[in-house]
Amino acid sequence: MKSAVTMTVNGAPRTAEVEPRTLLVHLLREHLNLTGTHVGCDTSNCGACTVWLDDEAVKACTVLAVQAHGHEVTTIEGIAANGDLHPMQRAFHEHHGLQCGYCTPGMIMTAIKLVEAVPAPSDEEIRRGLEGNLCRCTGYENIVAAVRAASEVRV
Amino acid sequence: MIPREFAYERPESVADAAGLLRSHGDGARVLAGGHSLLPMMKLRLAAPETLVDIGGISSLRGITDAGSYFEIGALTRHADLAGSDLLGLACPVLASAAAGIGDPQVRNRGTIGGSLAQADPHGDLPAVLVALDGEVTAEGPDGTRTIPARDLFRGFLTTSLAADEILTAVRVPKAPHSTYVKFNRRAQDWAIAGVAAVVDGDSARIALTGVGAAPVRAEAAERAFWGGNAAEAAARAADGLDPPSDAAGSADYRRHLARVLTLRALEEAIGG
Ligand SMILES: Cc1cc2nc3c(=O)[nH]c(=O)nc-3n(C[C@H](O)[C@H](O)[C@H](O)COP(=O)(O)OP(=O)(O)OC[C@H]3O[C@@H](n4cnc5c(N)ncnc54)[C@H](O)[C@@H]3O)c2cc1C
Ligand code: FES
Ligand code: FES
């Protein structure tokens, strides 16, 4: 019942043998060892599993690996350039936008797309844009501060 | 959580998809954005033997301006509806409802066809289609038919689509004075209640979500509106409703929301 899926992951072509029921997040974590993408709720709510599919933020626990066949996937491991953290990663670091770090990869993947779509977001727009990402630790204040700071770097 | 095993098909045309649905019988289900079906499969609330993934049929995607109405492909995603300037101006009820669905990641996957076929009693787009008096095209192995909104929604997660029919397109009239207002308490949540309002001169069409097994047309409110009386209409918006009581709110609370949200929606639709 297994079939081969091929996709570009973080810029490189990857192939794996999976069952149709394998979720994209399990393909990434268990077949490709990209464990930066987390599973929080597994019920499509928390956003910890957020990756980019064809350059758009999606919840990888709610996409089948076979649905990503032939497409392009980017994970948290794929956003630093030549060893330099992405400005959003740096902003989370500098503004203490994390405590346990469980939600952080998903937050960052969503936040980068948020800032691309709305270049100078208000705090309200940041909170709305992160509606699909839950954090049990920080109370969100420093996450919002980090995204605001990263958006100012880009301007 | 992992779904039960299933076979996976990825047809390249609607005709092939309909043929697969017929040959696999009751065990087959269409997969569009997967944002209702996959969560149900992971919870084992659904266990189809075969998934017919229509995601690769690119002709089912896109918004076409057809003069007095829009023709929208079934695979057009919530994000496409919300981001469409065309809809924002000429059919704001659809654009605003889509913009409030779930969260950005959900809107990047979920589709209009999937939302209508799912017929969730708390879904936003079924009420929008009813308020707009829109219609859908259904294509099956025996041909193509048109289903008006009033005949599409049959009850809890139930539509009049046959098991081997594919919803291919949605047609909605232009309705520049229209809006959708939903109320929930938590980020990213479904509507406790929601109101789609379409104002056309002296008359209004009003449909509610979250207050029954399927979208409800607020007919008493529509009659009371005649000539533009939003306050009178809102006062009648809960007439005849029999809403559910659950953890999100009591039946009385939902009646209250129906009235308050109808007023907000009508005032915004008239102003817009
Ligand atoms: C966290 C979360 C929050 C959400 N919040 C909301 C919300 O606030 N409001 C809201 O309205 N929705 C909400 N949704 C649901 C979302 O809008 C779904 O995308 C939608 O209900 C189903 O669309 P889909 O394309 O994902 O369909 P799928 O999940 O692929 O399919 C749903 C059903 O429709 C059938 N189907 C799909 N397409 C077709 C077709 N073209 N022809 C025939 N049958 C078809 C499938 O067989 C299945 O039975 C939420 C979902 C999640 C995960
Ligand atoms: S693990 Fe995917 S949304 Fe929570
Ligand atoms: S930092 Fe712990 S969940 Fe967000």
Side-chain angles (χ1 to χ4, degrees), chain B residues 2 13 105 141 192 244:
Chain B
I2 297 170
S13 72
Q105 295 97 309
I192 301 171

Side-chain angles (χ1 to χ4, degrees), chain A residues 39-42 44-47 49 59 61:
Chain A
V39 178
C41 63
D42 213 0
S44 317
N45 295 292
C46 76
C49 62
K59 293 175 175 175
C61 75

Side-chain angles (χ1 to χ4, degrees), chain A residues 80-97:
Chain A
N82 308 318
D84 287 336
L85 291 182
H86 187 283
M88 189 64 76
Q89 289 174 302
R90 216 164 38 238
F92 269 68
H93 175 77
E94 284 165 4
H95 294 267
H96 308 286

Side-chain angles (χ1 to χ4, degrees), chain A residues 97-104 134-138 143:
Chain A
L98 61 144
Q99 287 178 25
C100 79
Y102 207 87
C103 69
T104 314
L134 306 182
C135 175
R136 295 299 269 169
C137 299
T138 62
I143 292 177

Side-chain angles (χ1 to χ4, degrees), chain A residues 1 19-23 26 41-47 50-51 53 56-59 61-64 66-67 69 71 106 110 128-134, chain B residues 1-8 10 31-35 38-39 42-44 51 53 77 79-80 100 102-109 184 186-189:
Chain A
M1 285 277 289
E19 288 183 88
R21 62 177 172 164
T22 304
L23 301 168
H26 293 139
C41 63
D42 213 0
T43 55
S44 317
N45 295 292
C46 76
T50 302
V51 301
L53 180 58
E56 292 179 324
V58 303
K59 293 175 175 175
C61 75
T62 317
V63 176
L64 298 171
V66 287
Q67 287 179 290
H69 176 66
H71 292 264
T110 307
R128 278 258 161 250
L130 294 175
E131 204 173 353
N133 292 76
L134 306 182
Chain B
M1 290 184 305
I2 297 170
R4 201 163 283 166
E5 278 184 51
F6 56 84
Y8 177 77
R10 198 175 165 83
L31 176 68
H35 270 53
L38 294 177
K42 290 168 70 182
L43 293 167
R44 309 279 172 116
L51 279 189
D53 182 358
R77 303 166 311 159
D80 304 322
D103 56 51
Q105 295 97 309
V106 170
R107 295 192 290 272
N108 281 340
R109 295 295 293 169
N184 61 14
R186 295 178 306 191
Q188 174 210 80
D189 210 358

